[in-house]
Amino acid sequence: MKKLLIALSLFCVSFGLNAQQKSTEDAKMEKFINDLLKKMTLDEKIGQMNQLNWGDISDSIKTRVRNGEIGSFLNIYDPVQVNEMQRVAIEESPNKIPLIIGRDVIHGLKTIFPIPLGQAASFNPQVVENGARVAAIESREKGITWTFAPMLDISRDARWGRIAESLGEDPYLAGELGAAMVRGFQGKSLSDPTSIAACVKHFIGYGAAEGGRDYNTTNIPIHLLRNVYLHPFQKAVEAGAATLMTSFNDNDGIPASGNGFLLKDILRNEWKFDGFVVSDWESMREMIPHGFAKDRKDVAMISANAGIDMEMVSETYPDYLKELINEGKVSMTDVDNYVRNILRVKYRLGLFTNPYVDTKKASATYSKEHLQTAREAAIQSAILLKNENVLPLKETQKIAVIGPMADAPHDQMGTWVFDGEKAHTVTPLKALQTEYKNINYVYEPVLKYSRDKNTSDFEKAKKAAESADVAVVFLGEESILSGEAHSLSNINLIGVQSELLKAVKSTGKPVVVVIMAGRPLTIERDLPYADAVLYNFHPGTMGGPAILDLLYGKANPSGKLPVTFVREVGQIPMYYNHNNTGRPPQWIPKLEDIAIEAPQTSLGNTSFYLDSGDKPLYPFGYGLSYSKFEYSNLALSTTELAMGGSLTAKVTIKNTSNVDGTEVAQLYVRDLVGSIVRPVKELKGFQRVSLKAGESKTIEFKISTDDLAFWGRDLTKKAEQGDFDLWIGTNSADGLKAKFVVK
Ligand code: NOJ
């Protein structure tokens, strides 16, 4: 009984009924909402819970807004149309409730930033926050008040096209950067006229789709769910994310849009989320093909009971909710609370006071400042994977610019770009023509686009390389090859790009490869033909100048991999924070060393692939610089950490080169024995450290037992006593090591 009362009171708090515990501002808001709710008919309440995709601004749609049948649109982006629809809602609908207008502004509206996976490579929350801020300012100018980002799906499978939209494979990194993105979109306050509401998605597990096939089933057991997949969502909710979106997948048989454990128990009761939850596009109706609902009425009942506040597109709520309430199958209290959640976000956005766009206000879209912010983001997002004394280039060298991505303004922007414009995108070629005018170059695209298989211009590529001091080959993926519903089973460089690279290398000239892609590609087979590799996840509007800044040493690469780069697609899933297994790899035999008709043997009895071993091509956190950094003097303030206490880990980093640079120092821990098996390493901190040539700095990380807490065997979250390893270093596979004990 006591438990029930506690649960009930938590439930009330989370639904905003316990106003005295909130600030005066919140109390005022709750009163406003409750007063409004009293005036609303059931039809209007259901209308608030209904989101439609924008079609034409027709009379019939206006009539529906006028009748209070629609709470939100997605995809209106013309400010004049937004104003007109808001006018109808505010002046003509029964209770004058403004609309909330959503759009997928995933990495910029007009000024396009690197795709989220690229932004994650910056390991810089400020870069991510700045990008989201610019996106919010440009969106609000169009009347967009809500974006469907950040996507915080942990992604450990590069075949999955939507890895592009993710912040990588690590829950800690995704949590820190996801919170930063929320801060950027929502600004200091949601009511600021330049803020938009964030929507953390997809709740939950979508990134673990079987085989990387989009929309597929996931099977994430409870400890993994708690310790890995939920973590970034909780961080984003703590950062104040206004809304959340459910995912398409079923996890262990339960589709996310019908999962009350996730939506009520975790999100509302544990995390105290008081914004609203929207289903993904038709994800409610899709519970029918999932085999979880028998018809559309069943869908509405399941989702309403699970805790979906707003339905995206499939309109089962308007069709059946009233009937379900009358039949006692959905509670009126739940529906009132769902409407409260939606109205709360509208109120916080200031829409009740001013839902309109000021179309006369000077536009900040594509401002110098926005473009510069995007350029800096693209610089910090690029990862130098290989450099055998070719980079940086000298401005006196003649270069041969080759390949389909050297001048691909559309593709360079990446996936989920509805509003960015080719004409505003600066490609590397364009940057050569405008900013880097003194460079002597010859340009041979050879392939028109990444999938182009026409080899007839290969000779031209060779001639160009022969005529130059260095060949710079721009390869990668078109933007349409990643993103939603764009999974691939082969993630080598597509088409004949590898062959092109070989042809260029055959000239004997030094070859720099610049890749722009939506995912970590399997490039091991290409590495022998590249003296240097600069990897960019589609870098956005200012990718061209950013890449040239890096190639010419005006900027020094500092990006680090937010995902493991596998050698072969067959190694997937491979991620740094895996469990050790009972048989961790020790001795890896070579395939060719196995004798013909070898007698039955277990070859060392450990966990690896005969043909590709157990190591990735590049580990999580990897990335080179033109500077050289040396780590020394790792020291812990104590090696005995009391439960509830914290320790400081210090390390000295020296830039031993003659080039100024920035290193991302990473702290990892391993909990050696746990009530459940703990990963071999877990990222617990990172810092970008700028060091002048020759400079040394001692940096500090603070680790508390809270940082070591995890959901253990008894399904509570706490740190456990015992031995820990700690590393600080330049990537997840390399670092100085210390030990401590939690007492
Ligand atoms: C489906 C996608 O899964 C989701 O991420 C997106 O926000 C919605 N469509 C709206 O476009």
Side-chain angles (χ1 to χ4, degrees), residues 434-479:
T434 51
E435 277 195 52
Y436 281 81
K437 282 195 204 144
N438 53 339
I439 307 291
N440 184 7
Y441 73 90
V442 49
Y443 173 52
E444 284 297 351
V446 185
L447 304 171
K448 289 200 182 74
Y449 53 100
S450 67
R451 283 166 297 162
D452 187 358
K453 290 197 180 140
N454 184 350
T455 56
S456 59
D457 278 351
F458 274 26
E459 282 309 311
K460 285 190 188 163
K462 287 203 218 165
K463 272 208 186 101
E466 273 155 8
S467 78
D469 299 310
V470 181
V472 186
V473 188
F474 291 85
L475 305 174
E477 286 184 307
E478 294 147 74
S479 52

Side-chain angles (χ1 to χ4, degrees), residues 608-624:
F608 59 84
Y609 290 107
L610 276 178
D611 55 348
S612 63
D614 70 311
K615 298 271 182 301
L617 182 61
Y618 295 112
F620 174 86
Y622 180 85
L624 303 172

